[in-house]
Amino acid sequence: MRTIRGPSATADAASSGSPRIVVDGLRASAAGPTASGLRTAAPARLLGADAVRVLAAFLVVVVHADHWPYQPSGVDRLVWTGLDLLARVCVPLFVVLSGVLLAYRSRETESRSALLMRRLRRSLVPWLFWAPIYCLIGLFLTGEIAHSATAVADWWASGGGYLYFLLLIPQLYLVFLIWPRRPSAAWMAVLPAVLIQTGLDVYRLAMPSGAPFESLLLNEGFLFFPFWIGYFALGVAVGTWLRNRDPERNLPAVLPFVGLTVIGAVLLVSVDGASAANAAFAEGTGAFLRPSLLVLTVGVFGSVGLAAERWLRPRPRWTARIAVLSRCSLGVYILHEALLYIPARAVQAPLLEHPLPLSALGFLIVLVATLALALALTRLLAATPLAVTIGMAREPLALPRRATLRSAMGPPAGQPVTRGDGIHAAHGPGPDQGPDLP
């Protein structure tokens, strides 16, 4: 058997006959009638989604940087193992976010084939471009892939290392084509989806030796959408709720989600599943499939998303910064792994190979340097025809400051957005205003 590889505000128009624009950070809605007699909705960025995406991309870098510090035993091992587990919430957050944005941005006039092709361009093109490059990097620079046909075949079979997420997302796009879109039906689908996901996660760790598809489930289970369907179903339900919610109503409270985050973190680090038959496969990439990770994911998504919606709305400068980071998140996800070796090798001997607190200092240096390098390279690539390989539209390097703020905030609060062609304005941002990928 192969082992695992490892601000809320209300702005009324000056004249009583003008529609009232209600802005709550999730959706801008013209609450009054328009000339067509239809209730209109002005799209706004999902600021909470931007914040969650930035956090998730940051945590992906944390996961890969976490393995460099000294951690043979004792406190060192406890600290770095715990950090690694908690940071594993990153990929589930991306899956939930994909469901949210697919449901929120979907347009009823768009054909299923157009939807599918538009989405696939943002996942398969980057994978096809970068997977061969990372294979060569693993073989000849980092040494992660052994010089044997079996090792190379195993690397490709696992989805191309950590790039496997780019193969998972297209599966979720296909699922979305047949997933219920009405809010009530979407919420009803959450429970069975969560039960399926949790059941598969538990079975994977507890299944007996010789069970059907044992090697596939243990080594490559993370590649298949059923292991993520609960996260995706929850995201679609939230996205449909955001599209249809009454903007006059308050957002849910943040505090319960903070409590859920604490409970989820405790569960994740205390329930190690060491007694499970396949406990070894709950480590590395397999740690993303731990059943207890679901609680932490819901808590973090709700806490960060709701808090960001309230905090960012009256702060346009911060909103613009987060929006830029959000657009660059897929590039950071793709590029950081190779760039991480540059600062890590530089501080390995003087800092990372020593116990705490020196290893923590080295870890912070590696983290900050890797993020800076990945962001810089992402922006450079986005200014070239290679922008498509990181899931971005081509952008010039220099953008006027005011234009950046306007693009991040959406239309002015006092400017109603009518239906125009009837669908696009009412149903959220256009298809290319940011990826639903990392």
Side-chain angles (χ1 to χ4, degrees):
M1 182 186 303
R2 289 181 286 127
T3 58
I4 195 164
R5 299 168 291 279
S8 290
T10 301
D12 294 304
S15 61
S16 57
S18 299
R20 180 161 51 88
I21 305 298
V22 181
V23 181
D24 63 1
L26 290 170
R27 195 177 184 185
S29 177
T34 65
S36 64
L38 297 172
R39 179 186 180 93
T40 61
R45 292 191 71 95
L46 294 177
L47 305 186
D50 280 343
V52 170
R53 187 190 286 115
V54 171
L55 174 64
F58 171 80
L59 291 178
V60 168
V61 183
V62 169
V63 167
H64 292 134
D66 175 85
H67 300 289
W68 285 83
Y70 173 89
Q71 45 188 295
S73 61
V75 175
D76 294 277
R77 184 166 184 80
L78 181 66
V79 168
W80 297 115
T81 301
L83 179 62
D84 175 78
L85 277 177
L86 295 175
R88 297 280 171 176
V89 76
C90 57
V91 177
L93 287 176
F94 279 137
V95 176
V96 175
L97 190 62
S98 295
V100 170
L101 296 180
L102 279 172
Y104 181 73
R105 293 173 174 173
S106 64
R107 294 176 288 161
E108 295 170 358
T109 57
E110 185 175 35
S111 68
R112 293 186 176 185
S113 59
L115 170 67
L116 186 61
M117 293 306 297
R118 179 162 51 83
R119 301 294 180 176
L120 289 179
R121 177 171 54 88
R122 287 186 175 149
S123 56
L124 292 184
V125 170
W127 188 86
L128 290 171
F129 183 85
W130 291 103
I133 293 175
Y134 270 102
C135 184
L136 295 175
I137 290 175
L139 280 169
F140 301 109
L141 293 181
T142 67
E144 288 186 18
I145 306 175
H147 288 216
S148 71
T150 300
V152 173
D154 285 348
W155 187 86
W156 283 101
S158 67
Y162 74 100
L163 296 178
Y164 75 90
F165 186 78
L166 299 177
L167 297 181
L168 170 65
I169 286 297
Q171 301 173 52
L172 298 177
Y173 293 159
L174 292 172
V175 171
F176 181 72
L177 296 180
I178 61 172
W179 203 258
R181 309 286 181 90
R182 291 184 296 107
S184 59
W187 282 109
M188 288 179 62
V190 171
L191 180 58
V194 167
L195 291 177
I196 291 172
Q197 173 184 303
T198 304
L200 285 171
D201 290 343
V202 173
Y203 175 75
R204 177 178 172 274
L205 294 178
M207 67 178 171
S209 178
F213 307 107
E214 177 189 16
S215 179
L216 182 67
L217 294 178
L218 291 176
N219 288 290
E220 282 91 30
F222 55 86
L223 270 175
F224 304 107
F225 79 88
F227 284 92
W228 307 89
I229 195 63
Y231 297 123
F232 184 70
L234 181 61
V236 172
V238 172
T240 58
W241 172 73
L242 290 175
R243 284 185 60 191
N244 294 280
R245 71 180 293 268
D246 183 355
E248 302 261 6
R249 302 186 65 173
N250 292 329
L251 293 168
V254 177
L255 191 57
F257 290 97
V258 174
L260 202 59
T261 299
V262 174
I263 295 172
V266 172
L267 280 174
L268 187 61
V269 300
S270 60
V271 181
D272 58 5
S275 61
N278 303 302
F281 293 90
E283 306 298 330
T285 311
F288 290 118
L289 304 185
R290 292 196 178 203
S292 55
L293 193 55
L294 177 63
V295 180
L296 180 62
T297 301
V298 174
V300 173
F301 191 91
S303 300
V304 175
L306 291 170
E309 291 288 351
R310 291 178 168 93
W311 191 83
L312 288 174
R313 180 56 56 182
R315 296 171 173 85
R317 293 184 185 276
W318 277 102
T319 298
R321 295 182 183 118
I322 295 298
V324 170
L325 294 175
S326 178
R327 289 202 306 275
C328 294
S329 60
L330 181 56
V332 171
Y333 173 85
I334 292 172
L335 300 170
H336 79 277
E337 174 74 350
L339 298 173
L340 187 148
Y341 280 80
I342 300 173
R345 291 276 173 82
V347 300
Q348 185 174 8
L351 295 174
L352 293 174
E353 292 181 353
H354 295 269
L356 292 167
L358 283 180
S359 60
L361 176 60
F363 172 79
L364 290 175
I365 292 174
V366 170
L367 194 60
V368 172
T370 301
L371 288 168
L373 289 170
L375 281 169
L377 185 54
T378 296
R379 285 300 294 122
L380 289 173
L381 289 178
T384 73
L386 292 177
V388 67
T389 69
I390 53 174
M392 295 181 68
R394 189 169 180 178
E395 300 178 4
L397 282 177
L399 291 175
R401 186 176 186 83
R402 291 183 180 179
T404 302
L405 291 175
R406 282 198 299 271
S407 66
M409 291 301 295
Q415 176 183 324
V417 179
T418 57
R419 291 180 74 97
D421 58 8
I423 297 297
H424 182 82
H427 285 173
D432 295 320
Q433 281 186 262
D436 44 68
L437 289 165

